Amino acid sequence: MRNTAIGATAAVAVLAGLVAAGPAAPAASASAASAEKKPAKTASVHGKARISYIESINDDIRFTIDAEQTPFTRPVPPRASEGLSTDARGTLKFSHTPQSGAAGWAEARVDCLVTSGRTATLTAVVTKSNVEEVGARLGISVQQGGKGEPDRLGFSWGVVNVDPEHVDENGQPVRPQAGTCMAPAPFTTVIKGGFKVVHAEITKSPAQPEAAIRRG
């Protein structure tokens, strides 16, 4: 009887071991699947810097950018009811202090961001300012320097973004509002501080067939 009991106990132990070992393969598969579903890299631009601008070479001009892409979060009906792959969030701040006179400044809410390598363009809608109209969209470009080169930055006012065919009541060319993610090449040089650009490829929206995009 004692031997029978011992044999039964051993059999139970073996069966328990097989049962415990059974889920091992699915667990490994689950781990692999989890790795495959790892979130993709997010495009972003972060940093603050003082720039040198040829039209105001001795002025103190500074930009602070904290922007991150958040695809398909800003619906644009009826063409893009789910939003765009370049939708973004964050903040843009700038200040321009001339050698004489009061400083101009603005704060804006980022609404679009697209990247390519170390370069990015973004737009932001003004929320507070003493020089810009609230609600105006501003375009910014950033190029992160490489191999000892300085960072660069461009902005959609000053020497760019005028419409010579349209003038205001004072005869001055009208400055059109920048479209989402529209900005000039980074034409100024960063002389203090800098920016970090993280690149990520954009994804196609399921709500925008290729034919519709071509017709646009």
Side-chain angles (χ1 to χ4, degrees), residues 3 73 103 121 155 160 164 192:
N3 289 339
T73 57
T121 61
F155 48 90
V160 297
K192 184 177 181 180

Side-chain angles (χ1 to χ4, degrees), residues 1-203:
M1 294 296 291
R2 181 178 298 171
N3 289 339
T4 302
I6 293 173
T9 301
V12 170
V14 170
L15 288 173
L18 290 173
V19 170
S29 298
S31 176
S34 176
E36 291 177 359
K37 294 180 180 179
K38 185 177 179 180
K41 184 167 56 175
T42 300
S44 63
V45 182
H46 296 283
K48 55 185 177 180
R50 178 180 176 181
I51 64 166
S52 175
Y53 176 40
I54 192 64
E55 297 294 335
S56 306
I57 198 68
N58 295 313
D59 293 356
D60 188 328
I61 307 175
R62 299 172 186 261
F63 287 82
T64 300
I65 302 172
D66 287 294
E68 182 176 90
Q69 206 173 74
T70 55
F72 313 119
T73 57
R74 296 180 180 275
V76 185
R79 288 287 300 275
S81 58
E82 295 183 8
L84 301 172
S85 58
T86 53
D87 289 343
R89 66 184 176 191
T91 56
L92 162 71
K93 298 179 181 179
F94 79 80
S95 64
H96 182 165
T97 306
Q99 288 188 305
S100 61
W105 59 270
E107 296 180 10
R109 183 188 72 253
V110 173
D111 65 353
C112 188
L113 170 66
V114 64
T115 60
S116 178
R118 298 193 305 272
T119 302
T121 61
L122 62 100
T123 47
V125 178
V126 175
T127 55
K128 301 177 182 178
S129 180
N130 68 345
V131 289
E132 293 288 345
E133 183 179 348
V134 172
R137 180 177 290 105
L138 308 177
I140 302 293
S141 62
V142 174
Q143 179 178 296
Q144 183 181 333
K147 297 182 179 179
E149 297 176 343
D151 292 357
R152 301 183 65 83
L153 182 141
F155 48 90
S156 63
W157 62 93
V159 297
V160 297
N161 198 32
V162 295
D163 186 354
E165 302 301 322
H166 296 85
V167 296
D168 61 20
E169 61 275 12
N170 298 315
Q172 298 298 316
V174 173
R175 189 184 89 191
Q177 177 165 286
T180 55
C181 276
M182 297 291 101
F187 56 84
T188 72
T189 304
V190 169
I191 56 176
K192 184 177 181 180
F195 299 97
K196 172 66 175 178
V197 175
V198 175
H199 169 63
E201 297 292 336
I202 61 173
T203 56

